[in-house]
Amino acid sequence: MAEVQVKDNSGKGGKVRSKKQAPHVDLTPMVDLAFLLITFFMLVTTFNKPNVMDLGLPAKPKDPTQKPPPTEIDLSNSISLIIGKDNRIFYHQLDAASLNEQTLQETTFDRNGITKVIEQAKAKAKDQSKFTVIIKPTDDAVYKNFVDILDEMAITKNEIYGITDVKSWEQAVYDKKVGASSAPAAPAADTK
C-alpha cells in the first residue's frame, strides 16, 4: 500500500509524516464464496418428499344411472368406529335395535386403546379374511384423528375398511353419550 507523504509547512523543519488510512476489506470474494456454497448445497441436498397414503377407491361405473346393490356386512365380521370431537373415539358391533348409550364403547387412540379393540374384534370374527372396519367420522371430528385411524389400519394390517357417514340412529346415540359425558355434574343437595 502506498504511503501518502505530507510536507510540514510550519517552518520548523522538513520532517515528513505519513498519514494512516483506515483499513479497507473487500468483501466481494466472500460474497462470491457464499453464493457458491449455497448453490452447491442446494444441488446436493435431497428434499423431503411428502408422505402419501394410497386409498383404494372403487372405479366409477360406466353407466352413471347404474348403482351397485346395497351390501350388508355381517356385524360379527365388522366393527364400526365413530370418530368424535375432542379426540374421542367410540366403537360398536351392534345393529340399530341393540345400540344405546351403554353399549357404545369409548376408547383412546393409543396402542392400548384402539389397536387392541380392533385386534380383539378381528380375533372374534367368524371369517377373519372378511373382517371389515367401518370408519365413521362425525362433523365434529378433526382431520388428524381421521389420519390416525387410517394409520391404525396399516398398523393392524386390516386391508378391508370403509369410510362412510354416521347413520342417523348412531348419531342419536352418539349425541346422547357425548352430551351426557360433557354435561356438568348437578350440585349436591343441601341436607340440613
Side-chain angles (χ1 to χ4, degrees):
M1 192 179 212
E3 294 181 14
V4 178
Q5 296 182 357
V6 179
K7 285 189 174 183
D8 185 16
N9 294 334
S10 61
K12 298 182 180 176
K15 292 185 180 178
V16 178
R17 290 184 165 181
S18 65
K19 280 190 174 179
K20 291 189 178 181
Q21 293 184 351
H24 176 71
V25 178
D26 189 13
L27 294 178
T28 306
M30 181 90 75
V31 173
D32 288 344
L33 179 65
F35 279 116
L36 284 172
L37 287 173
I38 289 172
T39 305
F40 172 76
F41 286 116
M42 284 177 57
L43 293 175
V44 298
T45 302
T46 56
F47 295 104
N48 289 339
K49 295 179 182 173
N51 295 331
V52 178
M53 181 179 293
D54 292 329
L55 290 177
L57 300 175
K60 288 185 177 182
K62 293 179 182 174
D63 182 12
T65 59
Q66 180 186 6
K67 289 188 176 180
T71 56
E72 287 295 322
I73 299 172
D74 186 6
L75 293 175
S76 66
N77 273 346
S78 70
I79 185 169
S80 293
L81 304 177
I82 300 174
I83 305 171
K85 66 179 182 178
D86 299 330
N87 299 323
R88 296 173 74 182
I89 185 165
F90 301 89
Y91 66 94
H92 70 86
Q93 291 180 286
L94 304 169
D95 58 357
S98 305
L99 186 65
N100 59 37
E101 293 176 55
Q102 288 74 32
T103 56
L104 182 64
Q105 302 294 317
E106 184 175 2
T107 188
T108 59
F109 282 97
D110 62 0
R111 188 172 16 159
N112 294 324
I114 193 65
T115 305
K116 280 192 176 179
V117 167
I118 293 171
E119 289 172 348
Q120 289 172 354
K122 188 173 185 175
K124 293 178 186 175
K126 286 181 189 175
D127 186 1
Q128 292 183 2
S129 65
K130 294 182 180 177
F131 180 74
T132 306
V133 178
I134 305 167
I135 303 167
K136 302 178 180 185
T138 62
D139 292 337
D140 302 328
V142 294
Y143 184 72
K144 178 193 175 299
N145 292 340
F146 179 71
V147 171
D148 288 345
I149 289 299
L150 292 179
D151 287 342
E152 282 299 323
M153 297 302 103
I155 291 169
T156 58
K157 296 179 177 66
N158 281 309
E159 296 178 0
I160 303 174
Y161 60 90
I163 302 162
T164 185
D165 294 328
V166 180
K167 294 189 168 136
S168 58
W169 51 274
E170 289 174 317
Q171 185 70 44
V173 174
Y174 165 78
D175 289 339
K176 286 181 186 176
K177 179 101 173 177
V178 171
S181 65
S182 65
D190 193 12
T191 56
K192 287 185 182 177

